[in-house]
Amino acid sequence: MGVIENLLAVIVVLGLLITFHEYGHFWVARRCGVKVLRFSVGFGKPLWSRVDRHGTEFAVAAIPLGGYVKMLDEREGPVAPEEQAQAFNRKSVWARIAIVSAGPIANFLLAFVAYWVLFVYGTTTVAPVIGDIAADSPAARGGLQSGQEIVAVEGERTPSWGEVNLKLVAAIGANGELEVTTRDSETASPERHQVPVSDWLVRQDPPRPLATLGVTPWRPELPAVLGEVLDDGRAQQAGLQSGDRIVSVDGTAVKDWMAFVDRVRDNPGKTLALQVERDGERRDVMLTPAAREQEDGTAMGYIGVGVQTTEWPERYRREIRYGPLDAVGEAVSKTGEMSLLTLDSIRKMLIGLISPSNLSGPVTIARIAGDSARNGVESFISFLAYLSISLGVLNLLPIPVLDGGHLVYYLIEAVRGRPVPEAVQAFGLRIGVALVGSLMLMALYFDLMRL
């Protein structure tokens, strides 16, 4: 069932992003007087199509991994004399720049709208309050203490653990000190800490900012009570059910959820004797965790269960909500921040600060899309916005075959006063196809390695 949900989620996400991107090209092309021959979501044989009164074919094709807008162009075939004025290649260089840049701009606009909706609708999050500090860690050397709330990193507000992680990831490669601002209570004055770091998070796969900092988030005590039990997982096969409380493992009492998780993770493939309380009665269950290989080659036990949710105390909860006008500025700021973070991550990957194995392909996107859909509307919209920004940024890279490569050619044409020679464009296209194809294969390879 999870595979089907993931597949449906990725079809919805990619369908929306592709449609918005291509509609940007289509809308501006129409406004510039260019005849659009086909608007396709997906590649390959059309599953559905229709032709409008302007002669444009709208199609949904079988392979949902992209899309395109095909415009009338004399470079791609003969054009009737009466239609030559509607050909893309006959338009001014500035009109062509507007048409090509409209796709990525549409992705940024979609992200802006998604963030605006989230900020107006409001989100409830957990305050980033420190639970434990690891001894001799950067956090300990910087003077951070248990019970403090992290309110800013490098001067940027952090109302949630998600924001703390984003700011820490944005600092990949830092040497010297990171400024972390904390406070002991909502009424206390902020306190700035200079946390010493060296080659911060360089080539970690994946980056583990909180663990590297030496900070464990504060959490309410979680009793060892099962929440969701996945179909066909080892827990279900052993007869465990949602609501079961784990009393002991191999005769040793289990004090909380994390103690149970540790026992499962540390014993892949080993049969454990559990005592379980269900409906006031205790029963014995034999459970053998499956072995799941980690990226470092070690095995971890896995049984396919989640913890029963526990209410957080009100003082640790934060609601982020803005009025419609204030949300505009916040959405613009968030879209810009995530765009710069994506661009900077690409730069750091090129210079070796971020491992290429962090590249994500369709398998990882499908898994994250499915997880975000199951975690609720807020999580799904946030993922949609970030993926839309990533698509916009990637398409603006100056690589022939991408929108950014075409923009480079047209900007050179605007400066020179004449087009870049066709032979040069054709050579660049071959390089671009090879480069993009290689990146896609790398992303797919790392996807498969994560399975």
Side-chain angles (χ1 to χ4, degrees):
M1 187 66 180
V3 173
I4 295 175
E5 289 177 348
N6 289 355
L7 183 61
L8 290 174
V10 78
I11 289 174
V12 170
V13 169
L14 291 181
L16 278 172
L17 298 186
I18 293 165
T19 300
F20 266 83
H21 181 92
E22 299 304 334
Y23 186 77
H25 292 310
F26 168 80
W27 189 86
V28 175
R30 279 272 182 92
R31 297 311 177 275
C32 291
V34 175
K35 183 175 182 178
V36 179
L37 302 178
R38 173 179 284 184
F39 182 124
S40 178
V41 177
F43 297 112
K45 184 178 180 180
L47 302 175
W48 171 90
S49 68
R50 75 173 183 85
V51 179
D52 71 359
R53 61 187 178 87
H54 299 288
T56 300
E57 179 190 8
F58 293 86
V60 176
I63 305 173
L65 295 178
Y68 61 92
V69 170
K70 181 177 176 60
M71 292 171 270
L72 192 68
D73 196 317
E74 292 174 299
R75 296 168 300 179
E76 298 181 4
V79 175
E82 64 273 15
E83 290 187 326
Q84 287 178 355
Q86 300 179 67
F88 176 81
N89 64 289
R90 292 283 183 122
K91 297 302 177 181
S92 72
V93 66
W94 299 111
R96 283 176 278 143
I97 287 174
I99 293 168
V100 170
S101 61
I105 290 173
N107 287 124
F108 295 126
L109 287 175
L110 175 60
F112 162 78
V113 171
Y115 285 132
W116 182 85
V117 169
L118 283 179
F119 288 135
V120 171
Y121 176 74
T123 59
T124 300
T125 186
V126 174
V129 175
I130 299 171
D132 294 318
I133 298 289
D136 198 33
S137 64
R141 293 192 292 273
L144 275 68
Q145 298 178 14
S146 176
Q148 292 179 329
E149 179 180 350
I150 300 176
V151 296
V153 174
E154 293 289 279
E156 299 287 335
R157 290 188 305 115
T158 54
S160 67
W161 281 115
E163 290 296 324
V164 171
N165 275 299
L166 277 176
K167 301 302 185 295
L168 291 175
V169 167
I172 287 177
N175 286 286
E177 295 178 334
L178 288 178
E179 184 180 274
V180 178
T181 305
T182 66
R183 64 183 178 194
D184 293 322
S185 67
E186 290 191 46
T187 57
S189 299
E191 179 182 352
R192 290 183 174 85
H193 305 265
Q194 301 303 320
V195 178
V197 295
S198 176
D199 291 333
W200 174 248
L201 302 179
V202 169
R203 299 190 68 82
Q204 280 195 10
D205 181 23
R208 299 177 297 277
L210 290 181
T212 306
L213 190 68
V215 167
T216 301
W218 183 90
R219 300 182 185 278
E221 184 175 322
L222 290 175
V225 178
L226 305 186
E228 182 183 14
V229 179
L230 299 181
D231 294 340
D232 297 324
R234 292 297 178 90
Q236 186 190 64
Q237 294 170 9
L240 294 174
Q241 300 177 10
S242 177
D244 286 351
R245 184 173 74 87
I246 310 301
V247 178
S248 66
V249 177
D250 289 341
T252 302
V254 174
K255 67 173 185 176
D256 58 22
W257 175 255
M258 291 312 300
F260 177 58
V261 169
D262 289 341
R263 293 298 301 273
V264 169
R265 286 180 173 173
D266 294 342
N267 291 280
K270 179 183 176 181
T271 300
L272 304 174
L274 274 58
Q275 188 174 71
V276 177
E277 184 178 286
R278 181 187 301 164
D279 299 326
E281 297 183 358
R282 295 193 176 187
R283 60 190 68 197
D284 295 325
V285 175
M286 304 306 291
L287 173 69
T288 305
R292 174 175 287 183
E293 186 174 343
Q294 302 301 290
E295 293 175 353
D296 61 2
T298 60
M300 179 185 76
Y302 177 77
I303 61 172
V305 297
V307 65
Q308 190 174 76
T309 57
T310 300
E311 285 294 322
W312 284 72
E314 189 65 32
R315 69 180 183 276
Y316 290 105
R317 299 169 68 182
R318 300 286 185 271
E319 185 176 35
I320 303 173
R321 186 193 301 270
Y322 300 93
L325 291 179
D326 289 338
V328 170
E330 293 294 330
V332 169
S333 176
K334 185 68 174 178
T335 302
E337 176 190 2
M338 298 306 293
S339 300
L340 291 174
L341 177 62
T342 302
L343 189 60
D344 191 50
S345 296
I346 294 171
R347 179 187 68 83
K348 289 177 178 177
M349 190 173 294
L350 291 174
I351 64 177
L353 295 179
I354 296 178
S355 171
S357 57
N358 285 289
L359 281 171
S360 296
V363 177
T364 299
I365 292 173
R367 178 177 56 79
I368 297 175
D371 290 344
S372 63
R374 284 187 286 270
N375 289 336
V377 175
E378 294 175 12
S379 179
F380 185 74
I381 292 178
S382 292
F383 175 68
L384 176 69
Y386 178 64
L387 200 59
S388 188
I389 287 170
S390 298
L391 182 61
V393 170
L394 290 173
N395 266 282
L396 285 175
L397 294 179
I399 300 174
V401 82
L402 299 180
D403 293 331
H406 293 298
L407 287 174
V408 170
Y409 289 146
Y410 298 148
L411 289 172
I412 293 174
E413 179 181 344
V415 173
R416 295 174 73 236
R418 59 185 185 277
V420 175
E422 290 289 337
V424 174
Q425 294 191 43
F427 179 72
L429 179 64
R430 289 194 293 270
I431 294 176
V433 169
L435 182 58
V436 172
S438 299
L439 289 174
M440 292 178 66
L441 288 175
M442 282 178 60
L444 182 59
Y445 169 78
F446 291 127
D447 269 356
L448 297 176
M449 291 298 99
R450 295 185 186 105
L451 294 179

